[in-house]
Amino acid sequence: MTRLLIIGPPGSGKGTQAVHIARHFSIPAVSTGEIFRTNVSDETPLGQEAAKYLDDGAFVPDHLTNALVRDRLGDTDVLPGFLLDGYPRTAPQVMELDNMLSSLGHRLDAVVELRAPDSELERRMIQRAKEQGRKDDTVEVFRRRLDLYHRETHEVVAVYAGRGMVVSVDGSGDPGEITKRAIAAVEKFLAAGVAL
């Protein structure tokens, strides 16, 4: 059973890498961002509420996000493990995730941190907006998200680093090479943990 979390600034390729890493470990990728976008597109009550925040480049409030993740982690397909993408984003959400996993008798095995320079991240976001027609990917929104990441989400990395769970991966360059680096780093980390 492998339970992973992938984290990194906007444009770092979390979504792309989450799919490939999850496939390698035969676990589902659980993306809060995709769930939010689906709900917004389908105009569900949660989606309508989430849209107010997403359109401004703000994070969806903890109570909405926590409830969504709690429900998802109760699904049978995540019993063998999962890779969380987009949660937790704040230190209080780390504590909430700890409680959720503990109540299920589980814990995280590792946290994959993707790193890339801000200039490369911005270039990627602009390219993605053009390719996918995503209205939420404007330069202004991207810069607000990046600022939020540096101010809030980086605390999440610090918490997990303090627990010795962070596997840092260079997120620059070719996506296929990033995937290889990430998988190799996680396998090495997990093997070292088993050996202890």
Side-chain angles (χ1 to χ4, degrees):
M1 293 193 213
T2 307
R3 293 179 182 86
L4 305 173
L5 163 65
I6 190 166
I7 196 165
S12 61
K14 290 188 307 297
T16 300
Q17 296 306 325
V19 170
H20 295 303
I21 295 168
R23 186 180 299 133
H24 176 81
F25 288 100
S26 301
I27 53 177
V30 178
S31 165
T32 52
E34 189 57 40
I35 294 168
F36 289 154
R37 282 191 289 277
T38 300
N39 278 273
V40 169
S41 174
D42 293 346
E43 297 185 356
T44 65
L46 173 62
Q48 290 173 350
E49 195 170 345
K52 300 172 197 169
Y53 301 95
L54 296 171
D55 289 346
D56 289 335
F59 289 147
V60 175
D62 284 1
H63 71 279
L64 291 175
T65 307
N66 293 341
L68 180 65
V69 173
R70 188 178 300 109
D71 286 347
R72 183 68 181 93
L73 292 183
D75 291 343
T76 55
D77 68 320
V78 298
L79 289 176
F82 54 79
L83 188 153
L84 271 177
D85 168 16
Y87 182 92
R89 290 185 186 266
T90 64
Q93 286 181 357
V94 171
M95 305 314 290
E96 187 67 26
L97 179 60
D98 285 346
N99 293 336
M100 287 180 211
L101 293 176
S102 177
S103 72
L104 296 167
H106 303 315
R107 64 176 177 77
L108 278 180
D109 295 307
V111 175
V112 181
E113 180 197 20
L114 294 177
R115 295 183 171 189
D118 288 358
S119 58
E120 181 169 349
L121 299 173
E122 185 168 324
R123 180 187 58 72
R124 287 182 189 172
M125 292 292 278
I126 291 167
Q127 186 65 31
R128 185 174 79 175
K130 287 178 186 169
E131 290 172 358
Q132 299 179 9
R134 285 175 53 170
K135 292 184 232 170
D136 61 333
D137 282 346
T138 66
V139 172
E140 294 75 21
V141 167
F142 164 74
R143 288 180 179 159
R144 278 200 296 274
R145 284 186 184 148
L146 191 59
D147 181 57
L148 274 170
Y149 174 80
H150 289 311
R151 284 191 288 119
E152 292 184 12
T153 311
H154 195 69
E155 291 179 12
V156 173
V157 176
V159 170
Y160 287 123
R163 299 178 186 179
M165 299 175 64
V166 175
V167 179
S168 289
V169 176
D170 178 4
S172 301
D174 176 70
E177 291 303 314
I178 297 168
T179 301
K180 288 178 188 172
R181 286 195 294 265
I183 289 170
V186 171
E187 287 185 332
K188 182 178 178 183
F189 179 85
L190 295 177
V194 169
L196 293 177

